[in-house]
Amino acid sequence: MDKMWAGRFEKALDKQADDFNSSIHFDKKMYKQDIRGSLEHALMLSSCGIISQGEYEKIAEGLTSILDDLNNGALAFDENAEDIHMFVEAELTKRIGDAGKRLHTARSRNDQVALDLRLYMRDEAGKIILMLKELISALSEQAEKNQKSIMPGYTHLQRAQPITFAHHLLAYCMMLMRDVTRLEDAIKRMNYSPLGSCALAGTTYPTNRDMVAKALSFDGICLNSIDGVSDRDYCVELEGAFSLIMMHLSRLSEEIILWSSWEFKFIELDDSYTTGSSIMPQKKNPDMAELVRGKTGRVYGDLMATLTMLKGIPLAYNKDMQEDKEAIFDATETVQKCIEVFIPMIRTMKALPENMYNAAKRGFINATDLADYLTKKGLPFRSAYKIVGTIVGECIKKNITLDEMSLEEYKAHSDIFDSDLYNEISLESCVAKRISRGSTGYESVGEQLKYVAEFLK
Ligand code: ARG
């Protein structure tokens, strides 16, 4: 196929160089956005008297028929085209003749691609927001059901203090809610139309950029045409937000993997989200969670690739920037696929509160409460802390838990101890006594559940 820019050249582009240069095999993803942008651009050109009404009508008809044919498979992408923009324009001219050649007036591929990518990413990020909300809802449903499920809370992966499974899951709800607002913020910042920036310096035609921006639901235009065609900071920002989503999913994945092990057995994943082994008949592997954890690295990689691609290029457009798309498409798809599989995996996951409770009984996770008991009876916290430390040491030697130690033995450490201590250190009361806002206490968890529900409304 003759290049659109062939006029200036004496020789055709080398075949290998042509393939290397071409981006249609990935930017064809944006064909809907490309056509939508072109339709609005053409309408603006005609309303500003830059092309005639008749020409606009032909263009609109042609573009719509191309869109339909691509949608229903009647038209295939020409993989020899340089990119999606060239492909659509060439196809248009093939269909409607000379009017098609007027579409690119007062426009360059530089602002066109910048527009398409913003439109595309606005849609995809919007989808991710909806998916995240569904995941938050799945997590909070599990939390709702597990408000009384007591488990060990950990620090350093050492049993630390009793918490409820609901409290633990709600922590992830909070993280994912921030991920939602992070995406909303990024969309707000990127929602300005670069179209009309042209190659870099603007145009001599009496265009109306605001009209196109409004029609495409942007909040305004990129006010500096060089900036409009040059920056991909919105890609970096989205990839940053995607990376944080993946980081959160990866941590939860790690916990799901641990919790499903025989060592923990806090949960049982549904058969439909686990796999077996080709040799070990007993195995039930949490592959989905492992894959999500593994794919996190890809998304970080996409972020790094885009940042690195951008760091050394002078203004305005450089071909390096064509590399933005594969990175952000990969990050987008990866995040979407991960959330998609996560939602039903969480929904169908079965909590095993009895095992959680048994784990909570060991590990002296009520030791802080025992120290608090002494403190509330007048002992300074540090002294109480020391006494309880010694008691824990004694329990370890005797291989008993704190509630298995007799009052007599307690009294040997301090005569402040009384029989009411046993109630104080029961796991249920350790949780119930947590009255600070945000804590694992029942009322606080109720407040958190309400907060999440309010967010999802
Ligand atoms: N395929 C190109 C890209 O993705 C479109 C812009 C080309 N502009 C240019 N001046 N060569 O970046």
Side-chain angles (χ1 to χ4, degrees):
M1 188 170 67
D2 246 6
K3 293 287 176 206
M4 235 160 240
W5 35 258
R8 186 224 178 279
F9 293 82
E10 286 177 2
K11 273 165 74 179
L13 182 61
D14 169 79
K15 169 83 178 93
Q16 211 171 5
D18 197 9
D19 290 345
F20 183 63
N21 194 47
S22 165
S23 56
I24 188 146
H25 64 282
F26 53 84
D27 62 22
K28 62 185 173 194
K29 252 190 207 324
M30 308 189 297
Y31 77 93
K32 287 184 186 153
Q33 288 75 14
D34 192 74
I35 292 174
R36 188 166 167 222
S38 289
L39 280 167
E40 294 305 335
H41 178 67
L43 180 62
M44 180 278 291
L45 290 178
S46 83
S47 94
C48 293
I50 300 167
I51 62 172
S52 72
Q53 173 71 20
E55 284 161 344
Y56 163 68
E57 277 161 17
K58 272 194 185 158
I59 290 173
E61 220 183 277
L63 286 173
T64 311
S65 72
I66 294 173
L67 180 62
D68 288 345
D69 290 353
L70 285 173
N71 279 342
N72 63 32
L75 173 66
F77 294 100
D78 175 2
E79 299 288 333
N80 292 315
E82 189 172 318
D83 55 29
I84 184 63
H85 327 292
M86 295 285 213
F87 168 72
V88 172
E89 194 186 326
E91 183 62 29
L92 180 68
T93 304
K94 215 194 277 172
R95 291 186 182 200
I96 66 165
D98 277 352
K101 297 184 186 164
R102 294 199 186 271
L103 172 63
H104 212 53
T105 316
R107 186 175 75 171
S108 148
R109 266 186 303 155
N110 298 349
D111 55 343
Q112 190 178 355
V113 71
L115 174 82
D116 293 2
L117 192 53
R118 281 181 199 236
L119 286 174
Y120 184 84
M121 286 316 302
R122 190 176 67 185
D123 289 348
E124 297 306 309
K127 285 184 205 162
I128 294 177
I129 288 177
L130 292 178
M131 293 170 143
L132 278 177
K133 287 187 173 170
E134 213 179 313
L135 176 56
I136 295 166
S137 143
L139 283 165
S140 71
E141 276 161 35
Q142 285 283 6
E144 190 98 43
K145 284 189 278 185
N146 284 286
Q147 294 179 69
K148 293 266 153 70
S149 309
I150 296 177
M151 67 181 265
Y154 296 82
T155 64
H156 312 268
L157 201 57
Q158 302 286 321
R159 291 176 192 169
Q161 289 179 344
I163 57 170
T164 63
F165 192 44
H167 191 212
H168 196 106
L169 294 178
L170 280 162
Y172 283 106
C173 289
M174 303 294 166
M175 297 176 209
L176 296 171
M177 277 154 56
R178 279 197 299 280
D179 289 332
V180 167
T181 57
R182 224 183 311 277
L183 286 176
E184 286 169 347
D185 287 348
I187 291 172
K188 237 181 261 163
R189 252 185 306 284
M190 84 167 172
N191 201 29
Y192 290 85
S193 169
L195 200 73
S197 297
C198 304
L200 77 161
T203 181
T204 54
Y205 293 96
T207 53
N208 185 346
R209 292 187 58 198
D210 296 274
M211 175 183 167
V212 180
K214 203 166 161 215
L216 295 171
S217 306
F218 283 106
D219 293 321
I221 60 162
C222 301
L223 196 55
N224 181 304
S225 60
I226 301 174
D227 172 49
V229 291
S230 296
D231 210 352
R232 296 291 185 268
D233 54 356
Y234 58 94
C235 293
V236 173
E237 220 178 320
L238 286 174
E239 285 160 351
F242 295 167
S243 295
L244 287 172
I245 294 170
M246 291 303 296
M247 182 271 286
H248 290 146
L249 293 186
S250 185
R251 291 184 77 172
L252 181 50
S253 294
E254 169 66 12
E255 302 211 279
I256 287 171
I257 294 160
L258 283 172
W259 292 338
S260 339
S261 70
W262 282 110
E263 283 70 13
F264 281 78
K265 266 289 167 258
F266 288 180
I267 59 158
E268 171 101 38
L269 288 176
D270 194 77
D271 283 0
S272 33
Y273 296 96
T274 48
T275 61
S277 152
S278 58
I279 168 169
M280 298 165 281
Q282 84 285 10
K283 289 294 286 288
K284 183 171 173 183
N285 297 327
D287 284 28
M288 308 308 132
E290 290 169 69
L291 263 176
V292 169
R293 187 178 60 184
K295 283 177 187 290
T296 302
R298 272 173 91 117
V299 177
Y300 291 0
D302 293 326
L303 167 66
M304 277 308 133
T306 309
L307 274 173
T308 312
M309 177 274 285
L310 287 168
K311 75 180 264 292
I313 50 178
L315 302 182
Y317 178 85
N318 300 266
K319 190 72 174 203
D320 315 45
M321 290 158 83
Q322 184 164 284
E323 289 288 312
D324 57 3
K325 281 173 265 337
E326 277 170 297
I328 196 144
F329 292 165
D330 179 69
T332 304
E333 247 169 61
T334 305
V335 172
Q336 289 176 347
K337 281 191 193 149
C338 289
I339 306 177
E340 236 160 39
V341 75
F342 231 89
I343 296 166
M345 183 177 76
I346 294 291
R347 281 231 163 89
T348 55
M349 166 183 98
K350 221 175 95 204
L352 302 171
E354 213 176 297
N355 295 347
M356 295 178 187
Y357 193 81
N358 285 334
K361 282 203 283 203
R362 320 261 342 153
F364 306 99
I365 65 179
N366 43 5
T368 314
D369 292 81
L370 188 59
D372 284 345
Y373 167 84
L374 290 174
T375 309
K376 282 176 188 161
K377 295 209 168 193
L379 216 62
F381 181 75
R382 269 295 156 242
S383 318
Y385 171 93
K386 203 171 158 201
I387 292 173
V388 173
T390 317
I391 294 172
V392 166
E394 193 180 318
C395 285
I396 292 172
K397 272 193 211 120
K398 294 181 171 161
N399 194 24
I400 55 173
T401 59
L402 285 174
D403 50 299
E404 284 164 356
M405 184 134 149
S406 71
L407 187 56
E408 214 179 3
E409 287 169 302
Y410 272 114
K411 287 241 187 243
H413 289 277
S414 161
D415 52 15
I416 299 177
F417 284 119
D418 216 332
S419 58
D420 58 349
L421 81 90
Y422 294 102
N423 181 47
E424 285 296 293
I425 61 170
S426 83
L427 293 176
E428 287 76 8
S429 82
C430 287
V431 170
K433 277 184 300 158
R434 293 283 185 290
I435 51 169
S436 57
R437 286 187 72 202
S439 71
T440 207
Y442 301 115
E443 205 172 308
S444 155
V445 165
E447 185 188 8
Q448 295 168 48
L449 278 168
K450 257 195 222 134
Y451 181 74
V452 175
E454 201 57 43
F455 180 89
L456 292 177
K457 254 191 211 156

